[in-house]
Amino acid sequence: MARRRPRTLLAMAPGLRSRLLDDAATRRLREVADVEPGFVLADYAGPGAAAALEQAEVLLTCWGAPAVDARALAAAPRLRAVVHAAGSVKQIVTDACWERGIVVSSAARANSLPVAEYTVAMVLLSNKNVLRLREDYRAARGRRRDWRGWYQGHGHIGNYRRRVGIVGASRIGRRVIELLAPYDLELAVYDPYMSEEQAAGLGADPVGLDELCRTCDVVSLHAPELPETRAMIDRRRLALMRDGATLINTARGSLVDGSALTAELTSGRLNAVIDVTEPEALPADSPLYDLPNVLLTPHIAGSLGNELHRMADSAIEEIARYGAGLPFLHAVRREDLHRTA
């Protein structure tokens, strides 16, 4: 099959290229694309931008790339494809792109893998009551010598037949269910777009959101950020959760009523693993930084460190397919954006 090297332009936040593209990825990118890997646009009005955009057929983007709006498209008459080496394209791909017929690819699948792995780790640790046992151990400071004494008051801990609820059968949510399948857990899922047959195929019980909150030991959020999902875990649904249950949020902070969650966590009734908040970051006086029943992290579940290379490899292979005249494996469709992250 004939293969050509489309003229490709990089656009992303300053300093990100060296972390995204290691030496091997850079060599592979040069094999499949006519590209200058050292030239990266952080905005479309910077030095050299006009000449680069005029020649570009493919835009390789990542976090911090400016939106490809009508003005950018006017400066890029040959642009035919946007390949995003990260997850959501909503902040980059505008209506003007779809109206021109730009084809779009995303590395959302590659970025979903570390989020799912992180979630599984947090589910298993949460059911072992790690946060509270750590605090007990820290407080005792060696005064208690019999290891069996640590479990007094923690007889309910463990992962045997615990019920885990997945909110949102997204790409990440489905992967979490797959990874949890080998464990002796009961899995429940809530997703308004999923049929009972689809849920059964994943090995999870399809339930309503209220029932999921009421019956699960761990509730893990994987729904997209949409107007209808804002504060879907509100004061009432938090109150439905079992005493000692854990809420895991690796999706978006807007899915949870932050003040209601803070009240529940401050009372000590619930536990939480919070990787995303609204706003990011929380104010310095937020009690969530110091609560012993909260693991608060700065949006680390997604791709970090060498995991960025997985997204780069995915994007580069999409450019190779484009150059070979093949459709994208991870194409983004305009009609799906209303229900995706």
Side-chain angles (χ1 to χ4, degrees):
M1 178 180 294
R3 184 184 297 273
R4 62 189 186 85
R5 297 167 61 242
R7 182 64 177 172
T8 299
L9 176 63
L10 276 59
M12 59 195 68
L16 182 55
R17 186 208 67 83
S18 60
R19 293 188 286 127
L20 180 71
L21 299 170
D22 61 7
D23 291 343
T26 300
R27 289 193 297 270
R28 176 60 177 156
L29 179 59
R30 282 180 164 148
E31 290 174 0
V32 304
D34 178 10
V35 63
E36 297 177 19
F39 182 78
V40 182
L41 290 183
D43 66 73
Y44 297 136
L53 285 167
E54 186 177 11
Q55 299 298 318
E57 182 178 351
V58 176
L59 201 60
L60 174 56
T61 63
C62 194
W63 298 313
V68 186
D69 55 17
R71 179 179 295 183
L73 289 173
R78 302 182 186 183
L79 189 67
R80 297 294 179 268
V82 174
V83 177
H84 190 49
S88 176
V89 302
K90 287 183 177 179
Q91 302 303 313
I92 295 172
V93 175
T94 66
D95 288 343
C97 292
W98 302 115
E99 290 161 7
R100 182 190 279 194
I102 301 291
V103 291
V104 180
S105 170
S106 165
R109 180 187 177 279
N111 191 45
S112 72
L113 299 179
V115 181
E117 293 164 354
Y118 180 92
T119 301
V120 169
M122 293 303 107
V123 167
L124 299 177
L125 289 175
S126 295
N127 282 332
K128 294 290 274 190
N129 220 5
V130 165
L131 287 178
R132 293 181 187 261
L133 279 167
R134 179 201 62 182
E135 291 303 308
D136 286 355
Y137 194 38
R138 177 182 291 168
R141 297 278 178 179
R143 292 190 300 273
R144 186 181 299 164
R145 300 297 182 182
D146 183 357
W147 62 267
R148 289 169 293 237
W150 294 111
Y151 313 132
Q152 294 176 8
H154 296 278
H156 61 288
I157 68 172
N159 281 287
Y160 184 56
R161 293 182 177 174
R162 301 308 287 269
R163 188 166 175 83
V164 177
I166 305 300
V167 179
S170 60
R171 183 182 288 106
I172 297 171
R174 289 170 183 257
R175 182 59 177 159
V176 170
I177 293 172
E178 291 173 358
L179 292 174
L180 288 175
Y183 296 94
D184 289 322
L185 297 166
E186 297 177 5
L187 302 178
V189 61
Y190 165 76
D191 191 307
Y193 297 100
M194 171 174 273
S195 68
E196 291 187 6
E197 292 76 14
Q198 290 172 323
L202 287 173
D205 298 329
V207 296
L209 184 53
D210 284 2
E211 181 181 349
L212 185 146
C213 290
R214 185 171 54 249
T215 63
C216 288
D217 300 289
V218 176
V219 174
S220 188
L221 306 183
H222 304 286
E225 184 176 41
L226 303 170
E228 57 267 35
T229 62
R230 183 168 189 82
M232 65 188 304
I233 306 299
D234 56 13
R235 188 176 305 277
R236 183 182 66 82
R237 287 186 171 131
L238 287 167
L240 291 175
M241 291 178 63
R242 297 174 172 179
D243 290 354
T246 299
L247 179 72
I248 299 176
N249 190 3
T250 58
R252 290 292 184 269
S254 66
L255 302 185
V256 183
D257 180 332
S259 60
L261 178 61
T262 298
E264 287 281 11
L265 295 173
T266 302
S267 76
R269 194 181 73 82
L270 299 178
N271 307 307
V273 175
I274 305 172
D275 190 51
V276 288
T277 58
E278 189 179 54
E280 289 186 324
L282 289 175
D285 61 353
S286 170
L288 300 188
Y289 287 108
D290 300 309
L291 289 176
N293 52 325
V294 176
L295 177 61
L296 180 66
T297 50
H299 209 141
I300 65 169
S303 298
L304 292 175
N306 64 13
E307 293 164 339
L308 296 177
H309 303 158
R310 181 192 285 123
M311 297 194 301
D313 290 345
S314 174
I316 292 168
E317 290 311 306
E318 291 288 70
I319 295 173
R321 290 182 65 84
Y322 176 87
L326 298 172
F328 287 141
L329 282 177
H330 308 295
V332 178
R333 300 188 302 174
R334 185 181 192 178
E335 57 268 30
D336 292 336
L337 287 179
H338 74 283
R339 57 188 181 93
T340 60

